[in-house]
Amino acid sequence: MRLALVVEYDGTNYHGFQYQKGVPSIQEGLEKALRRFTGETIRVHGAGRTDAGVHALGQVVSFDTESSHTVDTFVRALNFHLPDDIAVKSGRAVDDGFDPRRHALSRTYRYTIIRSRTRSPIRRRTAHVVGEPLDVDAMMNATEKLIGRHDFARFAGPIAHGGTGRELFGARLRNDGDCLVFEFEGNAFLPQQVRRMVGAVVDVGRGRMTLGQFERMIEGDEAAVAHTAPPQGLCLVGVRYDEHMDGSEK
Amino acid sequence: MRLALVVEYDGTNYHGFQYQKGVPSIQEGLEKALRRFTGETIRVHGAGRTDAGVHALGQVVSFDTESSHTVDTFVRALNFHLPDDIAVKSGRAVDDGFDPRRHALSRTYRYTIIRSRTRSPIRRRTAHVVGEPLDVDAMMNATEKLIGRHDFARFAGPIAHGGTGRELFGARLRNDGDCLVFEFEGNAFLPQQVRRMVGAVVDVGRGRMTLGQFERMIEGDEAAVAHTAPPQGLCLVGVRYDEHMDGSEK
């Protein structure tokens, strides 16, 4: 049978979701726990490849197993075998054809910035500290410009192949205490796209980039490259599906 | 001169605030950073002795130094020398007689519970997960009963000497997303008092203790001992002073 799981992880100690020889990855952690529980060698497929140091509240993975345990037993047993920075939040039996990456309707990412002149020990793994004064209105304006279908080539890290057109269904920036919280929902994202969008918006807030330059970056016209926001502020909040399963977390 | 600092720390990797031979403590971390910066051997005094694994957003410490650097330089230099799980948020020159413990008017502690049937990797260091159904109204009722001057002997860990009467100026419990957040402000707290109060309130929420038993515990009449909530959910939010300095964080 094929199972899909919603997985939360603290990505601090991992070199990203995807398996890489010789370094810890979320995928490897899940596959190890599955092997311990089922005795099978199981390949796990994820909805999105989060980078090193990036977190997830609602990553969705799927895999095939010969095991006849119930889904509830799988969730409990995996949480027993997984390290404390990875946990299965829920699980569900899905169609044999289910593919968590291809069938995803949208992904939602959150990026958290702390506005502080000093480091924040308690939130150092989950937020990025920005000490300079920021023009938050300009940042909110810039963030809204990202909504829609654009060529996000200027916001992409190294790309192996394929086009750079992507659609953002939603993009917003809100104040939350001493934090600025970005939320992006899109059909799919280019490598490093969220961190580069956040980096560019922060550059607008610092006055290092004008709103005009930012808009030209979205059109692919502006060669000027913004900084890439560091990974610890980023979290894959959830993945949305149609008929097969809904992996989103509130 | 005497300086007072507001200090934030992630207490996960420390055996509490106070120096203990052979194991890491917050006090030792601060004293090491002071020695590196000033060359002096400096003894640091704190407002409260947080236990192993307990955090602080606004611990207040003071110390004497022969150094003539400005307070801003002290803050920057200490943040350079401190490990990434301890940071100085602000500093202030204070009277020579200032004592962060004796002069504190009140301390505010926060305790965070996540209501979830599964672990939370991202918040595992800063919150306690409770999976059973909870009667939150009963818990809110119980929390309010704690306000005022009481003999908190039944809520105290091992006590070396002194009385067990303490005054709670405020005690409240609120819902925040999937969390329950306690906030307590009091003149002073007995060892483990907050974690034992939270443990007892959670026992009320689970139906393991009646509100009547809880009230008798406050009166010192009830021998029944509640569980002690684990340290990672607890945070010293701030310490309030009168004329000397205000170490509270919002």
Side-chain angles (χ1 to χ4, degrees), chain B residues 154 209 213 216-226:
Chain B
R154 296 280 179 237
M209 188 186 289
Q213 287 175 306
R216 288 195 293 282
M217 252 185 101
I218 301 177
E219 304 310 321
D221 293 341
E222 181 73 33
V225 172

Side-chain angles (χ1 to χ4, degrees), chain A residues 8 86 89 119-120 125, chain B residues 8 86 89 119-120 125:
Chain A
E8 175 180 335
I86 306 178
K89 302 305 282 184
R119 296 186 280 112
S120 174
R125 293 160 165 259
Chain B
E8 175 180 336
I86 306 178
K89 302 305 281 182
R119 294 186 281 111
S120 174
R125 293 161 166 258

Side-chain angles (χ1 to χ4, degrees), chain A residues 13-16 18-26 28-29 32:
Chain A
N13 296 324
Y14 296 91
H15 289 248
Q18 198 180 24
Y19 179 80
Q20 285 182 64
K21 202 174 162 65
V23 293
S25 65
I26 303 297
E28 181 195 52
K32 268 190 189 168

Side-chain angles (χ1 to χ4, degrees), chain A residues 119-124, chain B residues 5-12 14 16-17 26 30 46-61 84-89 107-110 125-126 231-239 247 249:
Chain A
R119 296 186 280 112
S120 174
I122 294 176
R123 295 175 290 175
R124 72 192 185 283
Chain B
L5 306 174
V6 177
V7 180
E8 175 180 336
Y9 48 84
D10 172 346
T12 307
Y14 295 91
F17 178 82
I26 303 297
L30 289 166
R49 296 180 185 177
T50 55
D51 285 337
V54 173
H55 317 293
L57 273 170
Q59 170 75 279
V60 175
V61 304
D84 67 355
D85 48 9
I86 306 178
V88 177
K89 302 305 281 182
R107 283 100 173 149
T108 299
Y109 281 94
R110 183 193 295 157
R125 293 161 166 258
T126 54
Q232 72 271 16
L234 185 59
C235 182
L236 172 56
V237 177
V239 187
E249 296 272 304

Side-chain angles (χ1 to χ4, degrees), chain A residues 9-20 23-27 48-56 59 109 111 125 155-158 189-196 228-236:
Chain A
Y9 48 84
D10 173 344
T12 307
N13 296 324
Y14 296 91
H15 289 248
F17 178 82
Q18 198 180 24
Y19 179 80
Q20 285 182 64
V23 293
S25 65
I26 303 297
Q27 186 184 348
R49 296 181 184 176
T50 54
D51 286 337
V54 173
H55 317 293
Q59 170 74 282
Y109 281 93
Y111 195 97
R125 293 160 165 259
F155 296 93
F189 291 88
L190 298 167
Q192 297 188 356
Q193 183 183 338
V194 177
R195 289 164 55 197
R196 285 169 185 253
T228 304
Q232 72 272 15
L234 185 59
C235 182
L236 171 56

